[in-house]
Amino acid sequence: PAKAAAGTTVSELRGTTKPFTSLQGVVARNMNESLKVPEFRVTMSMETDKFDALYKRLKPHGVTMTALLAKAVGAALASHPVMFAACTPDGNGITYNERINVALAVAMPDGGLITPVLKDAD
């Protein structure tokens, strides 16, 4: 979380409202907008020995674990098009997206959050 302004105590902040910075406002609007998207979770155990070995081979070439995982997500989505589809606004159909884009949440030093999108991640 962002720190209070110098000289401001926690008790001084209680019960007050401070306007967002521009970045905080954009993040808040996008997070509220994201609530319109259905959310689901799947949990499973899996063997990652081959994935770990691939990462060890690619790491010396500057490939990060984040990049490798994003690519794996894109490749997995390519095999399951319903996972990156959307219901039509009238709720009577499903629209399959032409492209697979993967967004990543990245914390900023000032307490903000950005979500760069990796386009065509498959």
Side-chain angles (χ1 to χ4, degrees):
K3 293 182 180 177
T8 303
T9 65
V10 172
S11 61
E12 291 174 322
L13 294 174
R14 289 184 181 167
T16 66
T17 302
K18 301 284 183 188
F20 282 138
T21 65
S22 295
L23 177 61
Q24 290 170 328
V26 169
V27 169
R29 282 189 296 279
N30 287 340
M31 288 180 75
N32 281 328
E33 190 67 23
S34 75
L35 296 175
K36 297 177 182 176
V37 178
E39 181 183 320
F40 65 93
R41 295 168 199 242
V42 176
T43 303
M44 64 180 359
S45 296
M46 64 179 74
E47 184 77 27
T48 63
D49 292 345
K50 290 181 182 179
F51 188 81
D52 294 338
L54 175 63
Y55 175 61
K56 281 184 179 180
R57 285 198 317 272
L58 295 175
K59 185 177 179 181
H61 302 286
V63 176
T64 65
M65 180 61 82
T66 301
L68 196 56
L69 287 169
K71 180 62 179 175
V73 168
L77 287 172
S79 298
H80 304 281
V82 74
M83 297 303 294
F84 61 100
C87 290
T88 57
D90 63 7
N92 291 324
I94 188 165
T95 302
Y96 293 93
N97 290 306
E98 294 179 34
R99 299 170 71 186
I100 297 173
N101 301 323
V102 174
L104 302 168
V106 178
M108 301 299 290
D110 66 355
L113 182 72
I114 60 171
T115 51
V117 176
L118 306 172
K119 296 187 178 207
D120 299 317
D122 56 329

